[in-house]
Amino acid sequence: MTTPSDVGLGCYLYGIVTADLVVPADLAGVGDEPVSLIPYGDVAAITSPLDSERALAGRADLMAHGRVLDAIAALGPVIPVRFGSLLQDRDAVRSELLEPGHDRFHAMLADLAGHSQFTVRARYDEQQILTEVVAENPEIARLRAVTRERSDDSSYGDRVRLGELVSHALEAKSAADGQTLLSHIERYAAAVNIRESAGLDRLLDAALLVDDSRRAEFELAMEELAEAFAGRAHLKLIGPTAPYDFVEAEE
Amino acid sequence: MTIAATGPRRSGGYLDRPAPSSLADVIDSILDKGLVIDAYVRVSLVGIELLTIDARIVIASVDTYLRFAEATNRLDLYEKSKDLPEVIEDMTESGAQGKSRGLLSGAKEALLGSDDDRRSDDNRRADEEEDTGDYEEARPRRRPAKKAAARRRRNEE
């Protein structure tokens, strides 16, 4: 624990909320420090004290950052600030952050009110999707048969070619299946952010900003999609969380 | 795929709803997201952001193609009636590909800490392990001996 008398004590910043939000008394932040608000006009910063000499980026710090923001998001609109943001002191939070940004933050919070972020992660069953790819592409099936029977060195070119064709086939599949998934859920979202991701089993990573009044419908649609894709892909739904994907700066 | 033909509505447990979110979910969700603010002291993130970004742009590499080819080759097309637990385990073995695996696990190692620190997460679902850097964990693999040897050889290079 740090104390207010420590030299180099800064304000760790989680996000920005409306000034009337009441922070739960038992909410512990980074370093297990108590979380409090620094208000300015209609907005307020969520902060906790942090020794600026202390290195961040441990797993506990990242989890604490997300835990605080998701707890706050359940109480009212919040603009998440990027992990690792530290201001010098409480005065700096007001004069350097809240005062110059007040009107912009106020407008962003009004837009976010009544919405929560949900993140969809869809991953193929690797065996199933590769079986489809081989069955649907004669050239892939041929190269697979050729390279299976030969040593790695003598089939190098064929193996690269095989992998390239498989990669392209998987891209086409994930583009089509991803669009199918989105077409069934984007109607529930005020905004959608398609994330970049990699991996053989990648199907779709998308964040959706869902209106609270449509949340039940959205969750039911996700359940139905997960069942429809069962055996072929695995769907994961994370949320509701703070709207991490929907607060990009508009400079 | 016809989504309309999903049969009667029920909560069949097909959708994974992790709560609270795992570390892997948190990393993917928040590490490089959120409002970026000027005029403050930025705490060092030991290069983790750069690593995760790098990992996304090495997809179209020869190394990745070779791994895709290997995954395709070790696929047993005549073994389609596997039950789900086996399928999930197989996914776990080869979730990430190519350099993205090394870079991502490198970045995540920094967050995940040592093996000892990680034990508390071992009771998570098997299909989440691919996200947590436990890629090289030894597991029984049902693969022809020749292929297994070839795989080991490449790993040592």
Side-chain angles (χ1 to χ4, degrees), chain B residues 141-155:
Chain B
R141 299 182 179 216
R142 288 173 295 107
R143 184 185 302 146
K146 180 184 142 199
K147 294 290 174 190
R151 163 87 167 199
R152 272 198 300 277
R153 201 162 60 239
R154 268 195 302 284
N155 284 346

Side-chain angles (χ1 to χ4, degrees), chain A residues 156 159-161 163-164, chain B residues 58-69 98-99:
Chain A
Y156 180 85
R159 284 189 297 117
V160 172
R161 179 69 184 145
E164 186 178 7
Chain B
V58 295
I59 301 165
S61 69
V62 167
D63 187 49
T64 304
Y65 291 157
L66 289 174
R67 286 179 183 275
F68 277 33
K99 287 180 182 171

Side-chain angles (χ1 to χ4, degrees), chain A residues 6 150-151 154 188 212 221 228:
Chain A
D6 283 356
R150 285 160 53 191
S151 73
S154 69
Y188 305 109
D212 292 344

Side-chain angles (χ1 to χ4, degrees), chain A residues 32-51:
Chain A
D32 218 23
E33 296 283 357
V35 174
S36 64
L37 289 190
I38 299 176
Y40 180 90
D42 294 331
V43 301
I46 316 163
T47 71
S48 63
L50 181 76
D51 183 349

